Amino acid sequence: MLNFNQIKTILSKKVVGIAGAGGLGSNCAASLVRSGLGKLIIADFDVVSQPNLNRQFYFHDQIGMNKTDALRDNLLRINPMCLLQIHNTRVTEENISLLFSVCDLVIEAFDDAAQKQMLIEYMLTNHPNIPLIAASGMAGCGNLEQISLIQSGNLIICGDGSSEVSYDNPPMAPKVGIVSNMQADVALQILLSQNENENNTK
Amino acid sequence: MRMKITLNNRQEEFNSETLTISQIMEIKSFHFKMLVVRLNDTLIKREEYSSAQVKDGDDLKIIHLVSGG
């Protein structure tokens, strides 16, 4: 067992990539920074809009800002010492390696299922040694008992695996917050155990 | 001949010695548009679904990806 100072010391040397700064990415980033993570690499092309405020870690006076700029401001208010590398760009197969190959772990935090699949397939094929924590299924409210973790090697998927966001089943703060924080929790667990393994082999 | 596999963390039995991933998706009525398939922790791409063989004891994950985030 580690105390919080030990946890922070280990996490301060870790680098996590977050692909997407919407409901999943912005909330996951906040939890990781609060936990003492050393460096985040965050990529998103979108702008903060009013409908985002029902679940994303942004504020009313940030509407119209690039999400990456707004998120940097918010994260630095939690910890002015954390290192943030932000990329106001769309994540594609052409830039995934440039963005995330130095990371100890990557969080898939896209909205669109096709984008999720693209990142997962690319990472498993080209960076199979970097743990990837993805999310699928967090629309609406209720049915929390459906939420689970599926692990296959270095890929972990959080969510209920079925509730798709639509006009009648919108994403809402509680469940998006739960799943994004599951991603953050799994990330901590993996990052802290990476350290144990390194110590064991020394 | 029957085979027992682990499908999405659950034990499943099929009335066949071996099945392709496409056949298992058909039997289970998985008609997902976006998904990730891992057979014994190896990524199986869409074009391999009809050829990749699943056999007794295998660990298969067919994970549905839905939009939202």
Side-chain angles (χ1 to χ4, degrees), chain B residues 36-48:
Chain B
V36 174
V37 175
R38 302 262 278 174
L39 179 58
N40 300 322
D41 290 346
T42 300
L43 178 71
I44 307 291
K45 297 204 169 161
R46 193 171 290 267
E47 54 269 24
E48 301 164 328

Side-chain angles (χ1 to χ4, degrees), chain A residues 47-67:
Chain A
V47 169
V48 178
S49 67
Q50 209 278 332
N52 297 156
L53 299 184
N54 80 342
R55 66 191 187 283
Q56 305 189 15
F57 181 47
Y58 300 108
F59 299 94
H60 194 269
D61 58 7
Q62 293 178 318
I63 290 171
M65 283 179 79
N66 290 332
K67 286 185 176 177

Side-chain angles (χ1 to χ4, degrees), chain A residues 18-40:
Chain A
I18 301 188
L24 293 168
S26 64
N27 289 304
C28 185
S31 282
L32 292 175
V33 168
R34 287 187 200 282
S35 304
L37 190 85
K39 181 173 174 180
L40 280 177

Side-chain angles (χ1 to χ4, degrees), chain A residues 90-97 115 118-119 121-122 126:
Chain A
R90 185 184 285 273
V91 177
T92 66
E93 287 189 337
E94 283 69 47
N95 62 18
I96 292 173
S97 290
Q115 282 275 96
M118 181 275 294
L119 181 73
E121 291 203 351
Y122 187 92
N126 297 285

Side-chain angles (χ1 to χ4, degrees), chain A residues 23-24 55 110-114 116-117 120 124-125 136-138 149-154 157 161-165, chain B residues 8-9 32-46 49 59 61-69:
Chain A
L24 293 168
R55 66 191 187 283
F110 292 131
D111 174 31
D112 180 59
K116 290 175 185 290
Q117 176 164 296
I120 292 169
L124 292 178
T125 306
S136 172
M138 70 217 72
L149 290 176
I150 294 185
Q151 174 156 16
S152 171
N154 258 340
I157 300 193
S162 65
S163 71
E164 185 140 34
V165 164
Chain B
N8 295 346
N9 296 338
F32 306 143
K33 201 161 140 239
M34 289 294 159
L35 47 99
V36 174
V37 175
R38 302 262 278 174
L39 179 58
N40 300 322
D41 290 346
T42 300
L43 178 71
I44 307 291
K45 297 204 169 161
R46 193 171 290 267
Y49 293 169
D59 178 26
K61 302 229 167 50
I62 301 176
I63 303 162
H64 187 189
L65 297 176
V66 295
S67 287

